[in-house]
Amino acid sequence: MKKFVYAFEEGCKELKSLLGGKGANLAEMKKIDLPVPEGFTITTEACNQYYVDGKQISEEIVTQIEANLKLLEAKTQKKLGDSNDPLLVSVRSGAVVSMPGMMDTVLNLGLNDLSVEGLAKLTENRRFAMDCYRRFIQMFGDVVLEIPKYKFDKVLDGKKEICGYEMDTDLTATDLEEIIAGYKKIVKSEKGFDFPQEPKKQMMMAIEAVFGSWNNDRAIVYRNYNEIPHNLGTAVNIQSMVFGNMGTTSGTGVAFTRNPSTGENKLFGEFLINAQGEDVVAGIRTPQKIDELKDALPEVYQQFVDVSAKLETHYRDMQDIEFTVERGILYMLQTRTGKRTAYAAIKVAVDMVDEGVLDKEEALMRIAPSQLDQLLHPTFEPSALESANLLAKGLPASPGAASGKVYFHSADVVRAREQRINTILVRTETSPEDIEGMVKAEGILTSRGGMTSHAAVVARGMGKCCVAGCGEVKVDEENRIFRIGDQIFKEGDYISLDGNTGKVYSGAIKTIEVGLTGDFAKVLEWADEFRTLGVRTNADNPHDAETAVKFGAEGIGLCRTEHMFFSDDRILSVREMIVASNKVNRVKALDKLLPYQKEDFIGIFKAMGSRPVNIRLLDPPLHEFLPHKDEEIGALARDLGVDFEVLKSKVESLSEFNPMLGHRGCRLAITYPEIYEMQVKAIIEAAVYCKDELKIEVHPEIMIPLVGHLKEFTILKKLVIDTATETLKALNAEVVYKVGTMIEVPRAALIADEIAAEAEFFSFGTNDLTQMTLGFSRDDSGKFLDEYVKKEVFDKDPFESIDQNGVGKLVNMACELGRKTNPSIKLGICGEHGGEPKSIEFCHKTGLNYVSCSPFRVPIARLSAAQAAINNPNLKK
Ligand code: ADP
Ligand code: MG
Ligand code: MG
């Protein structure tokens, strides 16, 4: 018989995929003798079995659950639903990967009209018992019976208003009894049956609801966003309750062993006296700082400090902990690796190496490359900030700076985003239903909730700027406004958020980029010690090139020359060249472009110094450079002094049904060699100038795009060499340069051995290679690709992460074939994939020499390349 249920003492942290994160860590905490309330875990396999069985919990699983419940009752010496001394449990979901707020939990299960009286008598605390019962009905009603939460809130808030109470804790036992009666009415009218009184039935219903919640919409959105597989399933934990709502020596809290925003090595967290767990996370009352627990409950505080230290030592990583204190006794309810900002991730990694806890390799593996993006995010320009109008201050929940238009509902943010509007999601508090809006917004502002509220935790995980718990902001979601004092802000008004300070400003504020310094720089230097892949950048201008060098780029892997053609001072000459009716006129126009191109290359060479610079000769179809509207064509005709009709028919003749597969790349130069001749001349003259005048030994690599046939390459290689030789001869100079090709047409990969015999380098243009291999264009695939990813035809957008089985196979083959005929050939990648961690690992394994990516991805690529090397130690070159 398969084991579907584990008592906590039977588990351990290694069983995470079976017990879920929560269950495995509860078991582990028990194993190291921390105070954990008794309980058991129903495995993720049981969840998957539930779906296999057509959403039914099988006989076999039910039997195992019942047996474990008996054991739990024996251990606690209480009986579920007993009318004198009832065992109460929580039913807690626990996915393998922590999904904050995504899955649902029910507390105080086992209460009914009888056992609540027993609990009241036993604890001599009627208010407490009624508080548990009303919480239970509310949570059960929401999570299991799927009755909208606000219906319950309305009853509770209504009662508070009538009585003139501020806090939930002001409610008396009698008030709570009335609320319970109101809740039951809601259940009856919504569901047509009475609130279930039979505890075992309550439990089975709750378990089923947790299994069901694995596939609720927000869980699916969260998994999609975080690339968590949908087939992992969730475990369910049944745990005997401990009560933080038993008075002033009870309470509940959440803490991190280090500061998750800054990484500072200091206990960081919040607690609430006389409250149950979900109160802190839901941000219902604004909690106290963990330090204040020292005064409130000194012994508990000391014990908590010790437990936290023990946990961090045991797990060797920063922990995120949930605890509850019941009448002065501390219980641990959860621990997991703490989510942190990129800034904190780096500081914790560096500190832990200094503390001797981790070695550099482990430290590097702890930092998610994609997170580094956050550190390269803008902050507000100090001068712009000085003159900014400060509105309010909340908690600095997640760093970064964001400006945008205010929206109050997730769906409105999503809609605005579709129109490319930058948005700030403003809410009283966020809940898992808001997840999509949070993904799409630039920043998040909430008026309630602390540093561990839903908004704060989720925003930090996403690296999104968030200001939480900003009490001065009074949000009226229904009317789509918020007030600060007597100022009113409407939907669509601009505000700005500083997630580092918690400040909220009116209007939009200018931002600046940040640099690579301190611990960040240190971590990347460590990465450089381990990585064997080179990291270059894709840059078309000196500014981008300089930025990339600052971030550690070792060269340019792709300099696109067409971007230079578009600027105002040259587009006219470019167009003149294109519409020229014969070679003489074409060359005349190209001669005008030459000095510009030369200047461009000098600028880039200066920025790159002696690092290699790979320049791709003109690639796009000429049509892209021409105007298409009649009035623009008319204007151009006047500028060029040609007849409108003649020009119009020229434009039309150049238009293509499928430009991606049209007259572009090397095909342009086969028909109009003078274009590449001009470009090569400009490159060589620029290189000579840098060498002779600036004393920079430049290393140009001249790249011919879109080659699919050997002959294309040999014809153009000859053109490059002849032009370069002639240019050098005229200048009486010498420059070392390389000639190579892109591999982006599948045929080129197939005959890579032939091409490699002639080429000095290959650069895999995986954007085009992906389009041509898959047979769909990047520009058109938007219409169906989402659905393809949803239906798991692809795990991921193949334009984002390289399709390893298909396109990757071509890359692999081309490398092998190429090295066979030219062992010293240099191999690189310059498609978007060059900055994507999974693709970078692929490039490492394939044995490429370098990846090339946009300047802001260079740090990500350095770290990813190091992780790839650490993950694949036997591939070390
Ligand atoms: P989530 O994954 O959303 O944090 P949890 O299962 O951790 O959900 O539970 C929600 C809240 O209820 C937490 O604050 C937790 O500490 C509290 N809680 C869960 N089980 C118990 C229990 N047995 N006794 C007391 N509090 C509990
Ligand atoms: Mg929790
Ligand atoms: Mg291309």
Side-chain angles (χ1 to χ4, degrees):
M1 197 173 71
K2 192 163 189 175
K3 192 168 166 63
F4 283 111
V5 183
Y6 287 68
F8 287 167
E9 55 274 20
E10 294 178 302
C12 60
K13 68 179 193 303
E14 286 72 26
L15 289 182
K16 200 166 160 181
S17 65
L18 192 63
L19 304 179
K22 204 176 280 167
N25 286 328
L26 283 167
E28 187 75 13
M29 286 200 287
K30 205 153 197 65
K31 217 169 92 180
I32 60 172
D33 291 328
L34 296 184
V36 177
E38 302 289 350
F40 57 87
T41 304
I42 305 162
T43 65
T44 53
E45 288 177 353
C47 175
N48 289 332
Q49 191 61 45
Y50 167 80
Y51 283 105
V52 169
D53 294 340
K55 299 200 184 178
Q56 288 270 317
I57 304 179
S58 71
E59 206 58 47
E60 189 185 356
I61 296 173
V62 172
T63 312
Q64 292 190 32
I65 292 172
E66 281 171 353
N68 272 274
L69 177 61
K70 280 232 164 61
L71 284 175
L72 179 61
E73 288 176 334
K75 272 182 256 177
T76 55
Q77 301 192 324
K78 289 172 195 239
K79 277 210 149 30
L80 192 70
D82 189 280
S83 47
N84 295 315
D85 182 8
L87 167 67
L88 302 188
V89 297
S90 59
V91 178
R92 316 174 65 187
S93 62
V96 177
V97 188
S98 103
M99 295 167 57
M102 284 300 109
M103 312 295 291
D104 301 307
T105 291
V106 178
L107 302 181
N108 310 319
L109 186 138
L111 281 174
N112 56 26
D113 293 349
L114 272 183
S115 63
V116 71
E117 296 297 341
L119 186 67
K121 244 183 242 140
L122 187 83
T123 56
E124 296 175 353
N125 190 341
R126 191 170 180 79
R127 186 202 176 277
F128 156 74
M130 293 303 161
D131 187 43
C132 290
Y133 197 24
R134 77 94 192 148
R135 284 170 189 269
F136 172 47
I137 299 174
Q138 183 166 359
M139 287 180 118
F140 194 91
D142 169 28
V143 174
V144 181
L145 303 177
E146 297 184 320
I147 300 168
K149 217 162 61 195
Y150 75 88
K151 301 209 170 177
F152 295 107
D153 284 341
K154 225 157 118 187
V155 172
L156 185 83
D157 292 341
K159 183 76 205 167
K160 274 161 73 181
E161 205 174 307
I162 291 169
C163 301
Y165 298 150
E166 276 284 309
M167 305 279 195
D168 292 3
T169 41
D170 296 335
L171 294 162
T172 65
T174 325
D175 297 333
L176 288 163
E177 275 175 78
E178 281 170 34
I179 291 170
I180 290 166
Y183 280 6
K184 284 192 193 155
K185 254 191 224 139
I186 295 174
V187 172
K188 178 87 188 186
S189 74
E190 288 286 315
K191 306 303 293 187
F193 55 75
D194 287 317
F195 184 78
Q197 293 286 315
E198 165 55 33
K200 263 191 198 146
K201 185 170 175 210
Q202 292 172 351
M203 191 167 100
M204 293 315 292
M205 286 174 82
I207 292 169
E208 211 172 324
V210 173
F211 285 162
S213 76
W214 174 253
N215 277 334
N216 72 25
D217 290 346
R218 60 202 207 214
I220 292 171
V221 169
Y222 186 89
R223 288 200 294 272
N224 284 339
Y225 183 74
N226 291 286
E227 288 170 29
I228 299 167
H230 293 292
N231 61 1
L232 297 178
T234 179
V236 184
N237 301 288
I238 309 286
Q239 186 172 32
S240 83
M241 286 294 301
V242 287
F243 299 101
N245 55 337
M246 274 193 148
T248 52
T249 56
S250 301
T252 182
V254 184
F256 291 81
T257 53
R258 300 184 189 220
N259 185 315
S261 268
T262 65
E264 190 194 358
N265 187 1
K266 181 171 180 287
L267 208 54
F268 174 92
E270 295 165 329
F271 71 100
L272 275 173
I273 289 292
N274 199 10
Q276 272 198 334
E278 77 280 6
D279 295 353
V280 178
V281 188
I284 286 167
R285 279 189 268 153
T286 299
Q288 287 175 274
K289 289 215 170 71
I290 196 81
D291 289 345
E292 294 167 31
L293 188 62
K294 207 186 303 184
D295 305 320
L297 301 166
E299 276 165 41
V300 172
Y301 177 75
Q302 192 47 52
Q303 197 191 346
F304 184 68
V305 168
D306 296 342
V307 167
S308 301
K310 187 166 175 181
L311 275 174
E312 204 187 83
T313 311
H314 185 72
Y315 282 92
R316 302 171 69 234
D317 201 353
M318 185 238 272
Q319 294 296 296
D320 169 356
I321 302 167
E322 288 174 11
F323 65 95
T324 282
V325 182
E326 179 181 316
R327 290 194 281 203
I329 298 171
L330 175 70
Y331 293 95
M332 304 306 291
L333 290 173
Q334 192 173 333
T335 191
R336 62 184 165 203
T337 303
K339 283 203 193 305
R340 61 205 84 178
T341 63
Y343 189 87
I346 290 202
K347 170 132 178 70
V348 170
V350 169
D351 284 354
M352 285 193 161
V353 171
D354 289 346
E355 290 159 23
V357 178
L358 301 178
D359 59 31
K360 285 183 194 172
E361 271 150 295
E362 286 173 302
L364 285 171
M365 293 309 294
R366 289 280 173 85
I367 304 164
S370 55
Q371 236 193 341
L372 296 185
D373 208 28
Q374 288 175 32
L375 296 175
L376 307 163
H377 270 177
T379 51
F380 288 129
E381 195 181 88
S383 61
L385 205 52
E386 257 168 49
S387 55
N389 176 21
L390 180 66
L391 291 174
K393 193 164 182 283
L395 300 170
S398 179
S403 285
K405 288 187 178 180
V406 168
Y407 289 90
F408 296 90
H409 298 275
S410 175
D412 297 334
V413 167
V414 174
R415 230 168 288 129
R417 190 65 248 171
E418 277 163 12
Q419 295 159 24
R420 299 176 179 280
I421 295 170
N422 287 347
T423 61
I424 306 282
L425 178 65
V426 179
R427 294 198 59 84
T428 307
E429 56 195 288
T430 63
S431 71
E433 285 99 81
D434 300 320
I435 192 90
E436 214 179 340
M438 298 174 80
V439 169
K440 296 276 163 72
E442 305 304 306
I444 298 151
L445 170 64
T446 65
S447 60
R448 267 204 296 207
M451 294 293 280
T452 50
S453 64
H454 179 265
V457 171
V458 174
R460 274 200 297 274
M462 292 178 182
K464 193 142 288 185
C465 168
C466 174
V467 173
C470 190
E472 296 156 77
V473 173
K474 305 283 179 232
V475 185
D476 178 351
E477 278 110 352
E478 211 177 305
N479 293 306
R480 294 180 156 79
I481 55 166
F482 72 82
R483 290 193 174 78
I484 297 178
D486 47 18
Q487 289 189 75
I488 296 183
F489 292 81
K490 298 187 299 293
E491 180 176 282
D493 288 347
Y494 268 102
I495 61 166
S496 298
L497 305 179
D498 188 336
N500 302 305
T501 59
K503 289 180 179 165
V504 182
Y505 302 90
S506 61
I509 304 173
K510 219 175 149 197
T511 52
I512 48 163
E513 312 297 337
V514 289
L516 209 170
T517 52
D519 286 343
F520 188 17
K522 193 187 250 178
V523 161
L524 290 177
E525 277 162 30
W526 292 349
D528 293 346
E529 290 171 26
F530 292 98
R531 71 183 163 90
T532 52
L533 256 183
V535 176
R536 294 198 191 181
T537 190
N538 298 349
D540 313 332
N541 58 63
H543 175 263
D544 285 359
E546 277 160 26
T547 308
V549 167
K550 264 198 308 216
F551 289 154
E554 297 160 309
I556 287 182
L558 176 64
C559 172
R560 303 174 176 90
T561 47
E562 60 269 20
H563 290 184
M564 304 165 174
F565 279 26
F566 276 108
S567 59
D568 286 343
D569 46 356
R570 20 204 129 149
I571 186 72
L572 190 66
S573 309
V574 173
R575 289 169 170 172
E576 195 182 324
M577 179 268 289
I578 294 169
V579 303
S581 53
N582 56 50
K583 183 166 175 172
V584 178
N585 288 342
R586 215 163 23 245
V587 171
K588 228 193 256 165
L590 283 165
D591 281 345
K592 287 189 212 160
L593 283 171
L594 178 79
Y596 289 118
Q597 283 263 278
K598 185 173 159 186
E599 279 308 309
D600 293 331
F601 295 132
I602 290 174
I604 286 175
F605 289 147
K606 268 161 70 176
M608 297 309 292
S610 59
R611 299 174 186 85
V613 175
N614 179 315
I615 298 163
R616 176 177 74 184
L617 301 178
L618 197 67
D619 182 54
L622 297 179
H623 189 249
E624 279 188 17
F625 298 101
L626 294 177
H628 300 111
K629 290 200 192 100
D630 274 358
E631 53 214 72
E632 291 166 343
I633 295 174
L636 180 61
R638 277 192 299 282
D639 287 344
L640 296 177
V642 297
D643 183 64
F644 170 81
E645 288 303 329
V646 172
L647 184 59
K648 190 170 155 88
S649 76
K650 180 80 193 176
V651 170
E652 277 164 5
S653 76
L654 283 172
S655 109
E656 292 173 314
F657 286 109
N658 195 340
M660 183 191 95
L661 300 174
H663 193 185
R664 54 172 288 217
C666 64
R667 298 160 202 166
L668 284 174
I670 299 279
T671 47
Y672 306 122
E674 48 283 1
I675 301 178
Y676 279 15
E677 281 166 12
M678 180 280 285
Q679 292 196 296
V680 172
K681 197 167 169 202
I683 294 168
I684 298 297
E685 286 187 2
V688 171
Y689 174 84
C690 289
K691 191 178 170 196
D692 293 350
E693 306 297 320
L694 307 175
K695 307 294 169 216
I696 307 172
E697 190 74 36
V698 300
H699 290 96
E701 301 175 348
I702 298 172
M703 179 156 77
I704 296 162
L706 224 68
V707 164
H709 293 255
L710 176 63
K711 252 306 176 49
E712 287 174 320
F713 185 70
T714 49
I715 291 171
L716 295 173
K717 179 183 165 189
K718 182 169 181 311
L719 175 150
V720 170
I721 293 176
D722 289 350
T723 309
T725 312
E726 213 174 283
T727 310
L728 289 170
K729 205 158 144 203
L731 295 171
N732 192 22
E734 261 178 64
V735 163
V736 183
Y737 63 94
K738 286 196 168 85
V739 188
T741 183
M742 300 226 3
I743 302 287
E744 54 187 338
V745 174
R747 191 177 191 281
L750 299 170
I751 57 153
D753 46 351
E754 292 174 34
I755 302 177
E758 295 288 333
E760 289 172 280
F761 62 84
F762 284 168
S763 177
F764 290 94
T766 48
N767 297 345
D768 266 311
L769 190 60
T770 298
Q771 305 195 77
M772 295 196 212
T773 303
L774 300 180
F776 51 72
S777 85
R778 184 164 58 159
D779 308 315
D780 296 320
S781 58
K783 290 182 195 129
F784 55 85
L785 209 52
D786 273 358
E787 205 56 36
Y788 264 56
V789 174
K790 244 183 236 155
K791 301 223 161 99
E792 295 174 27
V793 179
F794 292 106
D795 306 342
K796 261 193 105 172
D797 180 341
F799 293 105
E800 241 171 69
S801 190
I802 196 162
D803 158 37
Q804 297 193 17
N805 290 340
V807 176
K809 210 178 254 174
L810 278 176
V811 172
N812 238 316
M813 186 182 72
C815 290
E816 270 171 35
L817 287 175
R819 285 212 165 105
K820 218 180 269 169
T821 54
N822 181 357
S824 65
I825 192 163
K826 286 265 171 305
L827 303 170
I829 180 176
C830 62
E832 293 296 315
H833 304 99
E836 193 269 335
K838 273 197 197 122
S839 310
I840 292 172
E841 178 158 28
F842 165 80
C843 293
H844 172 84
K845 289 200 265 189
T846 306
L848 296 190
N849 298 94
Y850 68 85
V851 294
S852 187
C853 55
S854 65
F856 278 86
R857 302 222 124 218
V858 166
I860 297 171
R862 287 166 74 190
L863 179 59
S864 300
Q867 293 186 345
I870 294 166
N871 271 337
N872 302 280
N874 20 3
L875 289 174
K876 261 181 197 157
K877 271 178 269 170

